[in-house]
Amino acid sequence: MSETPHTSPAPGELARAYHARTKHRFEAFAEGPGQLDWDAQPAAFRHYVGAPVLDLPLAAERFERSYGALPHKPKNEIAPDLASLSALLELSFGLSAWKSWGPSRWALRCNPSSGNLHPVEAYVFSAGLPGVADGLHHYDPEQHALEGRALRPPAGERWLAVGLSSVMWREAWKYGERAFRYCQLDVGHAVGALAYAAALLGWEIAPLARPGDELAAALGLDREADFPATRYAYTEREEPEILLALRAPGLGDPANDLPGWLAAADWQGQPSQIDPAPGYRWPVIDKTAAASRLLRCTPQNGQKPWAFPDYPPLPAHTTPHGAAELIRQRRSGQRFDPKTTLDKAAFYRLLEATLPRPLAPFSGQEAAPAIHLLLFVLRVDGLPPGLYLLPRTPDAGAAAEALGAADQRFAGRCLVADIDEACPPHLGLTLLGALGLQEVQRLARALSCHQDIAATSAFSLGMLADFATVADDYAYRALLREAGLIGQALYLEAEAAGVRGTGIGCFFDDPVHQAVGLTDPRWQSVYHFTVGTPIVDARLETSPPYPDKQRDQP
């Protein structure tokens, strides 16, 4: 009797299947927990108990400069050392404030996260930095400290790298099967936050391709003694995500063989527990994570095998605020004032900042740009409410043609630059169709899971990703991370404009496509975002992120 031969899934097939499985629909949400016990929330911070701790200074003020100056290097080079590394980590992954309401108290961080759940853990590979031991360190954002995870003797080399991982259970606890998406969006936010913090110092980041198992070994995530294969191992383990080199004065390239570089290191510390008694399990997350780990390992030196589009330089920003100031004050807006509008020039500047240029945050991008923006314009001075398209690459004709091709509402589409001389022509911003404000509000609210923040803002948007680029399962991670990078740009640009942004992970996937006449499954909505004038909840109390630390003065 003959057996049916086993056929391996085609490249990218598992990722596409996961994405389809985890879509929200009007009639049903993706699989998730039926209820939440907030008293049983997974631990927000991981510590390596018993590892040596290096307390970090609050040194960012030493390096503060205008947010508008970030595209340019500072007048004087900033050398990597304990103080500059501390500023980098604080403004990337550190706490920005504590919030409290009654007996409840929670931390806010410089990097945003879905539901403020923060799955991302950050590790530092350090070689030859004054004041910092050589080896692998875990960054503890709660204490703003480095935990010496695997320290080794110095060998005369000088380089610096950051590795990121995800505790996926922190997101899965609340969001169920859709959590893998949110983890990748959060990795994108974290990479973007690192890129902006590096730019403040005049440094750059560069993604380094490393196979998933190699990165896991380098980060110590495959150590059986630390992460045993118990019944609840899925709540404790960390998924290796990405390695990024820091390009800074006097630094060379990181070691190619990081596990070999740490072979003689002294591993220390035991990971603290994330969740001792989980109530659910979502095996599809583990399956998708395993299938989408990076298998290839080139390029090794951080050089991109693709080129950024040739856009004009990003216009100078006129905000008087400092970069560190804006990074720390960044929040997710919870409510917006529908009686206020956004200045048109500020709107165009926000869109400019989402175009992929070789600057922060897109210096952290792994693959060629593949996301375009579907805009729900509501309250922008001088622009009619309606649906707009921002193609983020000059060759995005396929996206423009696919949108509303068979919908008579969009028969009169036109370039905004043709009707408004203030619109930069290279934006390619297209008015698909002018609609009444109430209709745009209704559409934006309904498609973003009936959330008012999508309809009471100045504008909201959906990020349309080109799934033709998902040539393998890892490319799905890169696509979602690109969306996170765009979100990080919008977050900081909104703060610089005096308004506020909010990422929206909950939206009805296929209804978004249907609303604009998209029938080709090549185009998929992966992330929504909204920007408006915030209504601040005066009931919440705010306290400093590190009350026991003295902040350095400039």
Side-chain angles (χ1 to χ4, degrees), residues 342-357:
L342 180 65
D343 179 73
K344 184 170 59 177
F347 175 67
Y348 290 148
R349 163 67 200 204
L350 275 158
L351 298 186
E352 279 272 16
T354 69
L355 298 184
R357 293 179 171 94

Side-chain angles (χ1 to χ4, degrees), residues 125-181:
F125 295 91
S126 172
L129 258 66
V132 184
D134 282 25
L136 172 70
H137 306 259
H138 171 256
Y139 177 61
D140 174 6
E142 185 177 24
Q143 303 301 328
H144 189 47
L146 287 175
E147 297 172 319
R149 185 76 174 103
L151 305 182
R152 47 157 284 162
E157 54 197 334
R158 187 167 164 77
W159 55 267
L160 185 63
V162 171
L164 301 181
S165 67
S166 289
V167 181
M168 293 192 170
W169 178 247
R170 286 189 182 132
E171 292 286 339
W173 167 82
K174 180 178 180 181
Y175 295 116
E177 290 189 351
R178 202 167 164 103
F180 181 83
R181 295 191 188 198

Side-chain angles (χ1 to χ4, degrees), residues 109-406:
R109 306 196 198 186
C110 291
N111 59 310
S113 172
S114 306
N116 199 34
L117 297 174
H118 289 283
V120 176
E121 296 286 330
Y123 295 81
V124 174
F125 295 91
S126 172
L129 258 66
V132 184
D134 282 25
L136 172 70
H137 306 259
H138 171 256
Y139 177 61
D140 174 6
E142 185 177 24
Q143 303 301 328
H144 189 47
L146 287 175
E147 297 172 319
R149 185 76 174 103
L151 305 182
R152 47 157 284 162
E157 54 197 334
R158 187 167 164 77
W159 55 267
L160 185 63
V162 171
L164 301 181
S165 67
S166 289
V167 181
M168 293 192 170
W169 178 247
R170 286 189 182 132
E171 292 286 339
W173 167 82
K174 180 178 180 181
Y175 295 116
E177 290 189 351
R178 202 167 164 103
F180 181 83
R181 295 191 188 198
Y182 299 158
C183 287
Q184 298 311 309
L185 293 173
D186 279 2
V187 171
H189 282 306
V191 171
L194 183 66
Y196 278 115
L200 172 63
L201 301 169
W203 303 356
E204 296 177 358
I205 66 171
L208 300 178
R210 292 291 191 275
D213 57 350
E214 180 182 321
L215 183 56
L219 296 174
L221 306 180
D222 64 348
R223 293 173 58 81
E224 178 66 23
D226 297 333
F227 300 95
T230 63
R231 177 183 176 187
Y232 295 134
Y234 65 94
T235 70
E236 304 304 316
R237 60 173 168 252
E238 298 176 27
E239 174 67 20
E241 295 288 4
I242 189 171
L243 180 70
L244 302 124
L246 272 299
R247 308 298 194 204
L251 295 186
D253 290 333
N256 273 335
D257 179 12
L258 286 175
W261 185 72
L262 291 172
D266 180 19
W267 288 87
Q268 300 179 71
Q270 288 291 313
S272 58
Q273 196 167 39
I274 299 297
D275 189 345
Y280 298 88
R281 183 169 187 176
W282 311 106
V284 70
I285 296 176
D286 299 331
K287 181 179 180 180
T288 306
S292 62
R293 288 182 191 132
L294 185 62
L295 300 178
R296 60 188 184 278
C297 57
T298 55
Q300 294 284 352
N301 60 358
Q303 297 299 313
K304 298 184 187 300
W306 49 272
F308 282 101
D310 186 21
Y311 284 120
L314 184 65
H317 206 295
T318 57
T319 178
H321 298 289
E325 176 189 2
L326 288 181
I327 288 170
R328 289 200 195 100
Q329 80 173 41
R330 183 216 60 81
R331 304 282 188 271
S332 291
Q334 303 300 309
R335 294 175 61 208
F336 293 118
D337 182 0
K339 298 178 181 179
T340 61
T341 59
L342 180 65
D343 179 73
K344 184 170 59 177
F347 175 67
Y348 290 148
R349 163 67 200 204
L350 275 158
L351 298 186
E352 279 272 16
T354 69
L355 298 184
R357 293 179 171 94
L359 301 169
F362 301 109
S363 52
Q365 188 153 331
E366 299 170 85
I371 290 179
H372 310 292
L373 306 185
L374 172 65
L375 296 146
F376 302 82
V377 172
L378 296 147
R379 299 171 183 87
V380 176
D381 288 335
L383 288 181
L387 299 182
Y388 293 69
L389 173 69
L390 180 72
R392 292 182 57 253
T393 58
D395 58 350
E401 292 173 8
L403 277 167

Side-chain angles (χ1 to χ4, degrees), residues 442-498:
R442 178 192 60 78
L443 192 60
R445 180 187 290 110
L447 295 178
S448 288
C449 294
H450 309 293
Q451 297 178 79
D452 281 343
I453 55 172
T456 55
S457 58
F459 71 93
S460 59
L461 60 85
M463 301 186 192
L464 296 177
D466 184 357
F467 267 52
T469 64
V470 183
D472 56 46
D473 294 295
Y474 185 80
Y476 180 59
R477 293 196 191 207
L479 202 57
L480 293 172
R481 293 171 186 173
E482 181 185 353
L485 291 174
I486 297 169
Q488 190 66 9
L490 288 168
Y491 265 121
L492 290 189
E493 286 289 323
E495 295 291 335

